[in-house]
Amino acid sequence: DSDTDDESDEEEGRKVKLGSRRKRRERLRRANEIASSTQSKQESKNNARTTPKLDELVNDRHGRSGITMCPHEILNSIPAHDIIPRHVRNQLDPKFVNKSHKNPPQSIKPLNSSDQYHTNIQKPLKAPPLCPNCKRPCPPQSLLFDEGYHSHEHYQFEKMESWIENADVMVFVGTSFAVTITDVALEYARNENIPVFNLNLNERLNSSSRLNVENLIGKSEQILPKLVEEVKKKLSKRLMQA
């Protein structure tokens, strides 16, 4: 499911293509069907339990046997306070993490003055976090190698397509340019003659007759504020000339 578009996708006229809108609509439709079916079963049993059993999610819409998608895969992310089992939830939910570190050892670095600390200093998890709905392991909120940008709503690939298509300038910060979104953005910059700024410690982009690149080598926390000030100055001049 990692491809973006094929001949059967419906919006072939798009200038920027990160994901398949056809596949996104199909996945949303199937997820909504499952969510609606699960809710109906729960209501018919007078809410005898709050989560469906795994065997309620093992048949797809054609009645074929096999694990199908859980609505959480497409529609909703799972908040830390809903993760199961409880001992894993207590390690991941900031509400519990903060309570357990009121008197942290000197080796723990505070996030801020409100006594909140990085969750990655916790002991290794003894079990994977599980979805409260289907009881399967929760995947991370990052794009996996076998997924497309249309695979989950939180990727918001259509918003990214719109941002790229409406950009007057592109600024890349700390990327290796080894993923699809940077390839798509750079190709659009080449086609539309959009200037590109690359803020990076090591990776450089080469300018060409098709790509106008300014490499800004250094720490982003030092360079970005200066770039923002320059943008503000140019915008102010445009407004005064308008």
Side-chain angles (χ1 to χ4, degrees):
D1 197 38
S2 59
D3 59 329
T4 53
D5 287 298
D6 53 34
E7 293 82 0
S8 62
D9 199 24
E10 297 176 8
E11 281 81 17
E12 283 299 312
R14 297 180 358 239
K15 292 183 178 181
V16 181
K17 297 178 183 179
L18 282 172
S20 170
R21 296 183 180 182
R22 175 184 58 80
K23 288 183 178 181
R24 172 181 174 269
R25 284 192 292 270
E26 174 64 15
R27 290 173 70 88
L28 280 175
R29 185 184 65 78
R30 290 179 60 197
N32 278 310
E33 283 180 356
I34 295 170
S36 177
S37 174
T38 300
Q39 183 177 2
S40 297
K41 290 179 181 179
Q42 290 176 342
E43 291 175 352
S44 67
K45 295 179 181 179
N46 296 319
N47 294 318
R49 61 179 189 274
T50 58
T51 58
K53 291 181 179 178
L54 183 58
D55 58 7
E56 291 179 353
L57 298 172
V58 298
N59 294 309
D60 65 18
R61 60 193 175 92
H62 298 296
R64 294 176 299 205
S65 178
I67 298 296
T68 187
M69 72 171 67
C70 170
H72 279 299
E73 292 182 37
I74 306 298
L75 301 176
N76 304 303
S77 298
I78 304 172
H81 61 260
D82 282 345
I83 286 173
I84 57 174
R86 179 176 295 181
H87 66 87
V88 173
R89 177 170 66 245
N90 290 353
Q91 281 191 256
L92 297 177
D93 190 345
K95 178 175 63 177
F96 295 101
V97 171
N98 294 339
K99 285 183 179 180
S100 64
H101 287 93
K102 289 301 181 182
N103 297 302
Q106 293 298 316
S107 60
I108 297 178
K109 182 180 179 180
L111 286 174
N112 51 46
S113 58
S114 64
D115 199 29
Q116 294 178 337
Y117 298 91
H118 290 289
T119 59
N120 61 8
I121 50 83
Q122 298 300 294
K123 294 182 295 184
L125 297 176
K126 295 181 179 180
L130 302 179
C131 171
N133 189 66
C134 67
K135 310 299 191 297
R136 285 181 280 169
C138 301
Q141 281 193 330
S142 58
L143 189 68
L144 304 179
F145 283 108
D146 61 344
E147 293 182 313
Y149 286 99
H150 50 265
S151 295
H152 197 290
E153 283 299 281
H154 73 249
Y155 294 148
Q156 301 184 58
F157 79 91
E158 290 177 284
K159 182 184 291 186
M160 292 188 285
E161 289 177 346
S162 176
W163 286 349
I164 292 172
E165 187 171 349
N166 290 284
D168 294 318
V169 62
M170 293 188 187
V171 179
F172 295 90
V173 181
T175 178
S176 63
F177 299 99
V179 293
T180 300
I181 188 171
T182 54
D183 288 343
V184 170
L186 286 175
E187 185 59 25
Y188 188 75
R190 293 185 186 97
N191 294 337
E192 301 296 325
N193 194 30
I194 295 174
V196 171
F197 290 89
N198 171 36
L199 281 69
N200 221 309
L201 292 175
N202 300 304
E203 299 292 334
R204 292 176 178 268
L205 287 174
N206 295 322
S207 288
S208 66
S209 59
R210 295 186 61 217
L211 187 63
N212 177 18
V213 177
E214 182 74 27
N215 289 296
L216 305 174
I217 305 301
K219 296 181 178 181
S220 60
E221 61 266 31
Q222 297 173 352
I223 298 176
L224 270 176
K226 296 178 182 179
L227 182 61
V228 169
E229 288 302 315
E230 289 300 317
V231 170
K232 287 180 178 179
K233 290 178 183 178
K234 290 185 178 294
L235 289 176
S236 296
K237 288 182 180 179
R238 285 189 184 181
L239 291 174
M240 291 177 64
Q241 293 172 357

